[in-house]
Amino acid sequence: MAKDKMTLLWFQTGSCGGDTMALLSADRPSFSDLLNDYPIELLWQPSLSVESVNNLNDLMDHIIQGTLPLDILCIEGSIITGPNGSGMFDTFRKTAKKNWVLKLAEKARFVLAMGTCAAFGGVHAAPPNPTDCIGLQMDKSEPGGLLPPEWRSGAGYPVINLAGCPVHPNTMTKTLAMIASGIILQLDELNRPKEFFSSLVHQGCTRNEYHEYDVEEAEFGTNGCMFFNLGCKGPYTQATCNTDLWNGRSSKTRAGVPCFGCTSPEFPEDEGLFKTEKLGPIPSKLPVGVERANYIAYKNLAKAAAPERVKKRKMEP
C-alpha cells in the first residue's frame, strides 16, 4: 500500500448487493478510473476483490488493532439489529455484523452509507420490519441509528448518506473522488452531499411540460405526467436521475415508470407504488414550493391553457 493513498474498505451488511451492481455502471469516473486516477487503495470489496475472505479477516483485525489505517469505510445494506438487539440475524465470523461496523467506524476517517438501506433502513426496515433494521446514523427520518446523532468520523463528518435504491453509480464514484481529492463535502439536513441531492428528479424530466399543463395520465404507456395519478414522486424527490442519466441513456420516468422516491428516508412508504395517495382530489404530497390552497386553481388554469401540440402529443402512441 502506497503511503500517499487513502485506504477503502467496503463491507456489506443486510443487502441485496444492488449498490455494488450499480457501481459497475459508473462512467464519470468509472470505478476502475477511480482507482487508477485518484489516490485510493482498495482494501476489500466483496464482489470485486480477488482475494479470499481470509484476507478480509486479516484486514479487519489489523484495522481494529490500529496497525492498518482505514480512511474510507463504505457500508452497503441495512443494519440488522434483531433478534432482541443482538444483531445475530446477520453475522460475520460468528459475530453480529453491526458490532463489526461499530469497530470499523471507530477507526475510519470517513464513513459512507452506500444506499438507502445503509443510510435510513430502506427496504428491509419497511413495515413490519421483522429483523429490526435501522440505518447507520438514522432510523428512517429520525436521527440516530446504529450510531448516535452526535457521532463523527475521524475527519469530523457524520455518516455521509449516499441515498438511493440503488445509489446512482456516478454519485458513488464522484463522492469518493471528491473525498480523495480533499474537497470539503457540503451535506444537507439528511447528511446527503448537496452536490447530488439538491436537484429534483422532476428537473430534466421529459414529461415536465405535461406536468405544467396538467396533462396527467391514468394509465401507463402514454406520454403525460405520472404525478397526479400514477404515484410519481419526482416533483419532491432529490436525486440526479434526470440530470445525470443512468448508463448515460435513460431514467425511470423516461422509460415510463414513476419515480419511487428511493432517495428519501421513508422509502419504501407503506402505500402502493403505482398510485398517488390523495386528500380529496389533491395529492397528499405536492411538488416542492407549491401551496395546497392554490393547487387546484393553478391546475385548472394550466389545463385550459395547454397548447394544442401538447394535447395532441399526449394521444400519440
Side-chain angles (χ1 to χ4, degrees):
M1 181 187 70
K3 289 184 178 180
D4 59 342
K5 287 197 171 186
M6 301 184 76
T7 56
L8 186 155
L9 186 141
W10 185 297
F11 190 66
Q12 280 184 338
T13 50
S15 172
C16 66
D19 299 292
T20 288
M21 293 179 66
L23 184 67
L24 299 177
S25 297
D27 58 5
R28 292 191 306 277
S30 67
F31 191 62
S32 59
D33 286 344
L34 176 72
L35 299 181
N36 289 328
D37 299 341
Y38 292 86
I40 293 178
E41 178 80 14
L42 180 65
L43 298 178
W44 178 264
Q45 211 286 342
S47 295
L48 302 178
S49 294
V50 297
E51 299 87 354
S52 74
V53 71
N54 290 329
N55 188 61
L56 175 59
N57 295 341
D58 294 339
L59 287 170
M60 292 172 66
D61 286 341
H62 287 305
I63 290 168
I64 293 168
Q65 292 165 9
T67 57
L68 175 64
L70 178 60
D71 294 299
I72 303 171
L73 173 64
C74 297
I75 301 297
E76 177 183 10
S78 57
I79 304 300
I80 296 177
T81 66
N84 303 318
S86 69
M88 293 304 289
F89 278 148
D90 188 27
T91 64
F92 177 72
R93 290 167 58 184
K94 300 181 180 180
T95 299
K97 283 187 178 178
K98 73 180 184 69
N99 294 335
W100 288 113
V101 172
L102 286 170
K103 292 177 181 179
L104 292 169
E106 182 182 346
K107 301 293 184 179
R109 294 187 60 233
F110 299 88
V111 177
L112 280 69
M114 294 301 203
T116 294
C117 286
F120 309 122
V123 171
H124 308 126
N129 193 3
T131 55
D132 298 330
C133 293
I134 55 177
L136 271 172
Q137 201 177 6
M138 296 190 72
D139 183 1
K140 294 294 187 179
S141 58
E142 294 298 317
L146 177 67
L147 298 165
E150 66 275 9
W151 180 89
R152 295 295 181 268
S153 68
Y157 284 90
V159 172
I160 299 165
N161 290 326
L162 301 189
C165 189
V167 191
H168 193 292
N170 290 339
T171 295
M172 287 188 277
T173 55
K174 286 179 179 178
T175 300
L176 291 170
M178 291 170 71
I179 290 173
S181 301
I183 297 173
I184 296 174
L185 299 179
Q186 302 295 323
L187 306 180
D188 68 8
E189 69 280 0
L190 297 173
N191 293 334
R192 303 175 302 185
K194 290 182 179 180
E195 180 78 16
F196 311 107
F197 295 94
S198 293
S199 60
L200 297 170
V201 173
H202 186 63
Q203 294 172 264
C205 178
T206 54
R207 298 168 184 263
N208 274 357
E209 189 171 34
Y210 301 105
H211 174 81
E212 295 304 321
Y213 284 113
D214 194 27
V215 180
E216 304 278 355
E217 302 298 5
E219 61 182 32
F220 292 109
T222 50
N223 298 323
C225 181
M226 297 179 286
F227 168 69
F228 203 86
N229 298 307
L230 297 177
C232 186
K233 296 174 171 58
Y236 53 81
T237 297
Q238 287 88 7
T240 60
C241 297
N242 279 314
T243 53
D244 187 359
L245 298 179
W246 287 72
N247 297 318
R249 297 180 62 84
S250 193
S251 69
K252 276 191 174 68
T253 57
R254 292 190 181 208
V257 179
C259 167
F260 297 150
C262 73
T263 63
S264 304
E266 300 301 327
F267 173 83
E269 296 187 29
D270 195 15
E271 61 185 33
L273 290 176
F274 302 105
K275 179 182 178 181
T276 300
E277 297 294 327
K278 297 179 182 178
L279 296 175
I282 307 175
S284 58
K285 291 186 179 180
L286 298 180
V288 173
V290 175
E291 294 182 6
R292 186 170 299 276
N294 300 327
Y295 190 69
I296 288 295
Y298 159 75
K299 279 290 187 179
N300 289 337
L301 289 171
K303 194 164 190 173
E308 195 64 27
R309 61 180 175 79
V310 173
K311 297 177 182 178
K312 287 182 177 180
R313 185 172 178 185
K314 174 190 176 185
M315 295 183 288
E316 287 180 357

